[in-house]
Amino acid sequence: MNRTARWLLLLPLLLNLSCRQTAPLDTCVIPQPQETVPLGGVLNLERPLHVEIESPDSEALAAWIVTTGLPLADPSREGQPVRFPQLRLACSDDASLPESEEGYRLEITRRGVEILSRGEAGLFYGLQTLLQLYDHYGAKLPCMRITDAPRFPYRGLHLDVSRHFFDKEFVKKQLRMMARLKLNRFHWHLTDGAGWRIEIDRYPQLTDVAAWRRGATWQQWRDGGYRYCRRDDPEASGGYYTKADIREVVALADSLHITVIPEIEMPAHSEEVLAVYPELSCTGKPYATGDFCIGNEATFEFLEHVLTEVMELFPSEWIHIGGDEASKQDWKSCPKCRERMRREGLASVDELQSYAVHRISGFLAGHGRRLIGWDEILDGGLAPDAVVMSWRGEEGGRKAAAAGHEVVMTPGSHCYFDGYQDNPTTEPQAFSGYLPLRKVYAYDPAPDAMPGREWIRGVQANLWTEYIPTPEQAEYMLYPRLFALAEVAWSQPGQKDFDDFHRRALDLTERIRRAGYNAFDLAHEAGERPESLTETDHLARGCRVDYATRWRDQYAAGGETALTDGLRGSWSYGTRWQGFLDDIDVTIDLGTTKPLHEITADFIQWFSAWVWLPMRVEIAVSDDGREFRTLATLTNDYPEEAERPEYRAFGWQGEARGRYVRYRAWRNDRPGGWLFTDEIIVR
């Protein structure tokens, strides 16, 4: 046979092998598995699966599998021969399996499905992957082998139920979605100034009064003076979880391999406690402060009693104590705090806070628990065994990790889901910032160059609820952004591909919407502010700007070139917008006298961030830079109290000539109010 004939005979086989090796396989799974290998062929699930489980907790797994909707054979077949197709789950010490007990190997063949893992959590996560495949493909599952394990051991979601209370059924619903996404830590923000949400037998006033307020929404409560009321008040709004509720939630979470971490806020954000137990504050008066008195032994007696009851309900090793945003002002003048500082040799109120954190950390350690807190617990010195949750950017987390402390990353820039996910002028009211799906997905909690990156235990999404009064809106803010966070937490950075993820997220979003979750409509996302997507060319571009009043460094944008660099601001006031705490007074030198037809600049109002539109704008031109001719004086008619973000241009159009353009904007008289502008456009 000649060479050509042999090649012709081999060609169909080679083509078949090539297709089997390179044909793309749509796993459709979120988070993306580490490795997927197509095996060729299809498993037909029109016949039911016969389940075999080899695990120390086989009964729990078997009970859970029954709820999944997979086609299952009648389990009453003990002693009968093995039938196919089979679903076999087994704990194994096979050396080829991922080392993590949360890792697994899922193999789908024509004979059935096998899931192997070193631990029960891995079997559970293998089942989650199988369920996503079954949801996507139905009864015709493509044969494949998936080998998978998480990048981080801590993969979390935080829910604030203080600002707005959500009942236990809502919480359980989100736990089920967390399990689907292989998230394993639920951080339950149970107490804060807006309401106490956990039953404590020793202190009934916490749930008789501190859990209730006048005003159905956080804004109404704020505008009414932050007052609480008794539960039987006709205007009472709020609620709390009974101990039976909490045991029920914790039991469900445990069955889903989720650890519930309770947060009991201290030493600040405790207005609700001090309203009913004012003797624990420095002033001794209700509604005067949100900080516990650290000099008062009764404070620690209260906190230890509360934490004792909390630990009876929650088996979590980690107990969150908040530790953030203490004003510390009353501590400076409080005789008890000053005496505590003298006796303990503390040089500052930061060290006084550190004393409190160390003391509570020791109490928790005595009960076999560990303290975790927001990154302010670093102030004044960190307790040796404490875990840092870094929210004020990454600086605190990086500092703690470099010093050998465990860290969970949750910076507001990428992990605060109370920000807008699309055009803020059309989306439901949110808090601050613009956080689209793409930005969440881009986050890397532990890049290769980070010192101490081995101490980064994981990452967490935070949902704060000041502007989220309903369960429907809470889900709208969570999904699909939580899909992105789940992939950040589970998958390796080298596997991430936003376009592929976006395709999978569209599919999963539609599926959960049909299942009753009120997810954001990703298919109709408007996207970033159009002005920010292309550079703007105009007469003043690249020209020198003289600042009579200077920007603030935290919002410098491009510094001296920001207002004439052709770059427009995004939906977020933190990107390409230059921020001022004074009136704006700048002059642009165009280089030569030129005919002018338009001078305009955009501004933002963002109430929750204390950013307002200018009260008044004045635009003037000059030939020599000394004598200016006013072209326009503009006033603002957008209400200062309006909480929805607004983007407005303040400008002049007409006929004029000049070399120098002076643009002045006056801020309102609210102390600490900001002005933000992005570009002064001259045409």
Side-chain angles (χ1 to χ4, degrees), residues 395 550-559 562 572-582 609-611 672-676:
E395 182 180 355
R550 192 179 183 278
W551 68 88
R552 295 298 169 129
D553 287 340
Q554 59 266 53
Y555 297 106
S572 175
Y573 58 82
T575 305
R576 292 183 180 169
W577 293 90
Q578 194 165 56
F580 298 77
L581 277 173
D582 303 295
W610 223 240
V611 177
W674 288 85
L675 286 175
F676 279 84

Side-chain angles (χ1 to χ4, degrees), residues 36 124 149 166 187 254 259 339 359 423 444 457 496 527 592 622:
T36 302
F124 182 78
F166 302 101
H187 175 178
D254 183 63
T259 300
E339 173 58 22
R359 184 162 170 178
N423 183 346
D444 185 351
R457 294 295 175 251
K496 290 167 61 180
T592 60
S622 170

Side-chain angles (χ1 to χ4, degrees), residues 175-195:
L175 289 173
R176 295 185 186 99
M177 184 56 64
M178 287 179 64
R180 181 169 186 163
L181 298 171
K182 302 183 178 75
L183 297 170
N184 66 352
R185 297 292 188 276
F186 177 59
H187 175 178
W188 208 355
H189 193 86
L190 289 163
T191 76
D192 209 305

Side-chain angles (χ1 to χ4, degrees), residues 48-52 71-74 77 83-88:
L49 288 161
H50 296 265
V51 180
E52 297 284 347
L72 302 176
D74 185 345
R77 61 180 194 85
R83 300 176 183 176
F84 296 99
Q86 184 181 24
L87 171 57
R88 178 175 180 264

Side-chain angles (χ1 to χ4, degrees), residues 267-427:
H269 285 288
S270 300
E271 291 86 352
E272 84 289 16
V273 177
L274 301 178
V276 294
Y277 298 109
E279 65 274 14
L280 302 180
S281 70
C282 293
T283 66
K285 301 175 182 177
Y287 301 108
T289 182
D291 293 354
F292 282 106
C293 177
I294 305 304
N296 188 350
E297 274 302 303
T299 291
F300 292 96
E301 179 183 338
F302 170 85
L303 294 174
E304 290 176 6
H305 284 313
V306 167
L307 289 172
T308 297
E309 294 194 36
V310 168
M311 288 186 286
E312 291 169 356
L313 293 168
F314 295 93
S316 167
E317 178 190 5
W318 291 1
I319 304 293
H320 206 297
I321 60 99
D324 60 310
E325 297 184 324
S327 75
K328 308 174 187 175
Q329 290 304 308
D330 291 327
W331 300 351
K332 296 176 182 178
S333 56
C334 171
K336 291 181 180 179
C337 288
R338 291 175 64 84
E339 173 58 22
R340 174 85 72 192
M341 292 173 67
R342 184 197 66 77
R343 193 165 61 248
E344 299 292 337
L346 307 174
S348 67
V349 290
D350 283 346
E351 291 186 12
L352 184 62
Q353 171 159 317
S354 179
Y355 164 85
V357 172
H358 276 72
R359 184 162 170 178
I360 295 298
S361 179
F363 173 76
L364 293 174
H367 291 77
R369 310 300 181 94
R370 294 181 65 192
L371 179 148
I372 179 171
W374 304 109
D375 53 56
E376 285 94 332
I377 66 173
L378 289 162
D379 298 346
L382 183 62
D385 203 35
V387 181
V388 173
M389 190 166 275
S390 188
W391 74 277
R392 297 177 298 177
E394 293 186 316
E395 182 180 355
R398 286 173 173 265
K399 177 181 176 183
H405 294 281
E406 292 183 274
V407 172
V408 175
M409 285 295 196
T410 179
S413 58
H414 291 79
C415 298
Y416 270 43
F417 288 6
D418 53 339
Y420 291 91
Q421 59 194 316
D422 210 357
N423 183 346
T425 66
T426 59
E427 284 295 287

Side-chain angles (χ1 to χ4, degrees), residues 159-206:
L159 177 65
D160 165 24
V161 295
S162 174
R163 274 80 175 186
H164 287 103
F165 178 70
F166 302 101
D167 67 23
K168 68 178 180 182
E169 295 305 321
F170 174 82
V171 173
K172 289 159 65 177
K173 184 181 179 185
Q174 309 323 309
L175 289 173
R176 295 185 186 99
M177 184 56 64
M178 287 179 64
R180 181 169 186 163
L181 298 171
K182 302 183 178 75
L183 297 170
N184 66 352
R185 297 292 188 276
F186 177 59
H187 175 178
W188 208 355
H189 193 86
L190 289 163
T191 76
D192 209 305
W196 184 279
R197 306 299 182 201
I198 176 173
E199 183 179 30
I200 301 294
D201 293 335
R202 192 180 184 99
Y203 300 103
Q205 289 287 87
L206 293 173

